[in-house]
């Protein structure tokens, strides 16, 4: 199994493998150009995002500055607004549906490490190994259609947010959130149902 296959299936992987270093190199090159462009250069921005992301729909805006890790694992639907200063750590897939609003300073993480120190450290590690000193794995994140993610929200690895859901500003999402609800807090919890959905 390749390091990429390990990564995408949620197993520990070597994040310093050449394929990931190349992903990062390309992403940083494109992000440097993207973040330097003036606001009104929308055509040029769309071209760069099309090269950076795994998929991008129509009528998508991404405010600057924007940061991501690989870029190629980000999949965005139609009619999506991502405001300024967002960070997407896309070591695994980040899927964003249609008609989604993502406010400023939102952080989406797919990569993580074991809580147990013995499992977090790479066995028999040495500087010559070419590996990272700790074990990393990554889990996908999915944001459904029609969602609104408030400012400063943090979405942890492996999370799914259901269609039509609104996440309150400053929330830290540690568990899946269902369709059609308002959820907020740290940890984020469902506060009430919306969009005609009853309990």
């Amino acid at each position: 199994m390749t390091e990429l296959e390990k990564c995408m299936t949620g197993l520990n992987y070597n994040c310093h493998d050449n394929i990931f270093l190349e992903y990062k190199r390309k992403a940083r090159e494109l992000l440097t150009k993207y973040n330097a462009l003036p606001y009104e250069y929308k055509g040029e921005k769309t071209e760069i995002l099309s090269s950076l992301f795994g998929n991008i729909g129509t009528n998508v805006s991404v405010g600057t500055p924007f940061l991501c890790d690989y870029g190629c694992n980000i999949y965005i639907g139609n009619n999506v607004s991502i405001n300024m200063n967002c960070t997407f750590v896309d070591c695994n897939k980040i899927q964003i549906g249609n008609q989604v609003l993502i406010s400023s300073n939102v952080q989406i993480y797919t990569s993580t490490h074991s809580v147990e120190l013995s499992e977090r450290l790479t066995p028999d590690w040495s500087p010559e190994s070419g590996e990272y000193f700790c074990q990393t794995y990554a889990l996908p994140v999915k944001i459904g259609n029609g969602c609104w993610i408030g400012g400063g929200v943090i979405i942890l690895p492996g999370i799914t947010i259901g269609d039509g859901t609104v996440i309150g500003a400053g929330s830290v999402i540690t568990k899946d959130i269902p369709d059609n609800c308002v959820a907020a807090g740290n940890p984020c919890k469902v506060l009430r149902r919306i969009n005609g959905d009853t309990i």
Side-chain angles (χ1 to χ4, degrees), residues 11-158:
L11 299 174
N12 285 332
Y13 71 100
N14 177 13
C15 60
H16 286 184
D17 189 82
N18 285 338
I19 192 166
F20 304 118
L21 297 180
E22 176 57 22
Y23 285 167
K24 288 185 178 186
R25 184 205 63 75
K26 180 182 177 184
R28 278 147 185 73
E29 180 181 296
L30 291 171
L31 287 169
T32 298
K33 294 177 183 177
Y34 185 82
N35 288 322
L37 283 171
Y39 176 81
E40 63 272 16
Y41 281 48
K42 294 185 178 181
E44 293 87 341
K45 286 186 172 184
T46 298
E47 287 182 18
I48 293 173
L49 292 179
S50 296
S51 298
L52 177 65
F53 293 157
N55 184 70
I56 183 171
T58 58
N59 194 32
V60 173
S61 64
V62 179
T64 55
F66 173 75
L67 294 175
C68 64
D69 214 11
Y70 302 162
C72 59
N73 284 333
I74 298 172
Y75 295 81
I76 299 178
N78 302 319
N79 304 320
V80 173
S81 174
I82 299 169
N83 216 318
M84 68 183 90
N85 208 40
C86 289
T87 300
F88 292 2
V89 182
D90 63 310
C91 299
N92 207 314
K93 284 186 179 180
I94 295 175
Q95 295 178 286
I96 298 169
N98 302 315
Q99 287 82 47
V100 173
L101 304 177
I102 296 180
S103 303
S104 301
N105 300 304
V106 169
Q107 301 168 57
I108 303 176
Y109 297 102
T110 64
S111 67
T112 188
H113 315 282
S114 175
V115 172
E116 296 294 331
L117 180 60
S118 61
E119 297 173 6
R120 189 162 65 245
L121 298 178
T122 301
D124 304 318
W125 179 84
S126 70
E128 295 77 28
S129 68
E131 294 186 300
Y132 196 46
F133 74 91
C134 70
Q135 297 284 309
T136 301
Y137 65 100
L139 302 172
V141 168
K142 183 177 180 181
I143 299 172
N145 297 322
C147 290
W148 173 21
I149 311 298
V153 167
I154 297 173
I155 304 174
L156 297 184

